[in-house]
């Protein structure tokens, strides 16, 4: 094996303690870092330039990951005993590899000035919903995702797994003032579109193709009155069946794909 690593077998090791801290939002905030677990996420992070602080892998999988680690330069690599890796893993069936990366610090004001198609999320709580929306925004060619401070942490391990690597393709930012973000977007000619059950326009009749911010609210309470008042377009998604509402990520996906469809039609 051409790659170099350090063996860790003790629960008392600082690396182990730090990884356990990173399982919680408070720890991620304190350390300014987050965990990526599974070969797919680790490879995506490496390919798209995430700042990897160190890698960790399980002892029994040394030969399996040798090819990957031979391509790693100037980043520390730790080998954990299998039992220790299971202890720090965030999944029920660990894949035996993880990375710890530094949390990116975006210049939010600068990024917002570049957004033409984005998703705004107010108080979204479910990690799976957030991860799916980020992944769908990436798939539909959107420029970024802005999340309210009261939402689930985008670096929650469940969110990261749900994004399937899309977290590294587009900027995902947390804002303490979404109304200010909407104001800046509106000044740049970006229209604000929100879902509303009694809106007069359906999702396929509303102009969603370009220079659009799609706003999605909390799973249980929807959007706040302030966010609804700030919208330029209120849109309804017809539901001829008996269901009362859509899942937040499903509703967002419908908006995102309709926006993409309109954009593609306009481009011929």
């Amino acid at each position: 094996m051409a790659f170099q690593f350090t063996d860790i077998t003790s629960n008392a090791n600082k690396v182990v303690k730090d990884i356990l801290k990173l399982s919680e939002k408070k720890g991620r905030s304190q350390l300014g870092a987050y965990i990526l677990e599974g070969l797919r996420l680790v490879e995506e992070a490496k390919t798209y330039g995430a700042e990897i602080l160190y890698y960790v892998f399980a002892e029994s999988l040394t030969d399996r990951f040798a090819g990957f680690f031979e391509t790693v330069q100037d980043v520390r690599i730790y080998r954990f005993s299998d039992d220790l890796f299971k202890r720090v893993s965030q999944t029920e069936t660990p894949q035996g590899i993880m990375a710890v990366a530094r949390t990116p610090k975006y210049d939010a004001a600068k990024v917002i000035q570049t957004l033409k198609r984005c998703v705004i999320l107010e108080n979204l709580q479910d990690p799976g919903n957030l991860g799916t929306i980020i992944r769908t925004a990436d798939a539909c060619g959107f420029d970024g995702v802005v999340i309210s401070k009261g939402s689930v942490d985008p670096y929650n391990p469940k969110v990261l797994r749900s994004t399937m690597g899309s977290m590294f393709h587009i900027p995902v930012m947390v804002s303490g003032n979404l109304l200010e973000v909407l104001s800046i977007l509106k000044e740049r000619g970006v229209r604000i579109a929100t879902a509303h059950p009694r809106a007069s326009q359906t999702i396929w009749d509303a102009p969603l193709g370009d220079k659009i911010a799609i706003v999605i609210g909390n799973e249980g309470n929807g959007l706040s009155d302030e966010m609804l008042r700030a919208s330029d377009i209120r849109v309804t998604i017809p539901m001829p069946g008996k269901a009362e509402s859509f899942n937040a990520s499903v509703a967002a996906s419908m908006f995102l794909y309709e926006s993409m469809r309109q954009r593609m039609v306009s481009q011929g």
Side-chain angles (χ1 to χ4, degrees):
M1 290 176 294
F3 72 99
Q4 301 295 314
F5 55 84
T6 300
D7 274 314
I8 294 179
T9 57
S10 171
N11 292 341
N13 188 281
K14 184 179 184 301
V15 173
V16 177
K17 291 180 177 179
D18 282 351
I19 292 174
L20 291 173
K21 284 182 182 178
L22 293 174
S23 65
E24 302 292 337
K25 183 177 181 179
K26 182 179 179 181
R28 292 191 291 273
S29 178
Q30 287 177 343
L31 298 176
Y34 63 100
I35 298 171
L36 299 160
E37 187 167 358
L39 186 59
R40 169 80 178 269
L41 267 184
V42 170
E43 287 180 330
E44 286 282 304
K46 179 174 178 287
T47 298
Y48 287 94
E51 187 180 351
I52 306 295
L53 300 176
Y54 52 88
Y55 295 97
V56 176
F57 70 98
E59 182 177 8
S60 64
L61 298 174
T62 302
D63 291 340
R64 178 181 175 186
F65 295 127
F68 171 79
F69 284 123
E70 285 168 2
T71 68
V72 171
Q73 296 180 348
D74 302 321
V75 180
R76 290 168 293 169
I77 303 171
Y78 297 106
R79 185 170 73 173
F80 282 17
S81 65
D82 286 14
D83 287 343
L84 189 55
F85 192 95
K86 287 178 183 177
R87 180 167 185 252
V88 300
S89 173
Q90 301 295 304
T91 63
E92 291 184 9
T93 54
Q95 293 183 35
I97 186 170
M98 65 172 63
V100 171
R102 193 180 308 282
T103 306
K105 294 182 178 179
Y106 291 105
D107 184 338
K110 188 174 182 179
V111 173
I112 289 167
Q113 289 292 337
T114 69
L115 298 177
K116 294 181 180 179
R117 296 179 299 276
C118 62
V119 183
I120 310 291
L121 302 174
E122 184 186 35
N123 296 331
L124 208 72
Q125 297 301 309
D126 184 80
N129 280 339
L130 177 54
T132 299
I133 291 171
I134 293 170
R135 184 179 178 185
T136 308
D138 175 30
C140 292
F142 273 60
D143 303 320
V145 178
V146 184
I147 306 165
S148 71
K149 207 166 187 178
S151 296
V152 61
D153 179 12
Y155 295 97
N156 177 300
K158 292 181 180 178
V159 174
L160 290 167
R161 289 196 295 274
S162 296
T163 70
M164 294 294 287
S166 287
M167 179 68 83
F168 311 117
H169 304 165
I170 59 174
V172 178
M173 300 173 294
V174 177
S175 170
N177 191 336
L178 285 188
L179 290 174
E180 183 179 340
V181 172
L182 295 190
S183 178
I184 295 170
L185 291 172
K186 288 167 76 114
E187 288 174 2
R188 297 182 48 248
V190 176
R191 288 163 293 119
I192 311 302
T194 58
H196 195 281
R198 293 180 296 280
S200 58
Q201 283 184 307
T202 66
I203 191 170
W204 48 77
D205 293 325
L208 303 175
D210 207 359
K211 299 203 83 172
I212 194 78
I214 292 170
V215 187
I216 302 295
N218 176 269
E219 291 88 345
N221 300 318
L223 289 166
S224 66
D225 291 340
E226 292 82 3
M227 294 296 280
L228 288 170
R229 283 195 293 269
S231 66
D232 299 306
I233 310 167
R234 293 191 186 185
V235 183
T236 185
I237 304 174
M239 292 188 294
K242 295 180 181 179
E244 292 184 359
S245 63
F246 287 109
N247 170 279
S249 62
V250 172
S253 296
M254 291 181 181
F255 271 93
L256 290 162
Y257 270 92
E258 176 59 19
S259 174
M260 181 183 69
R261 186 195 69 80
Q262 291 182 20
R263 192 163 65 252
M264 292 175 71
V265 169
S266 68
Q267 293 171 352

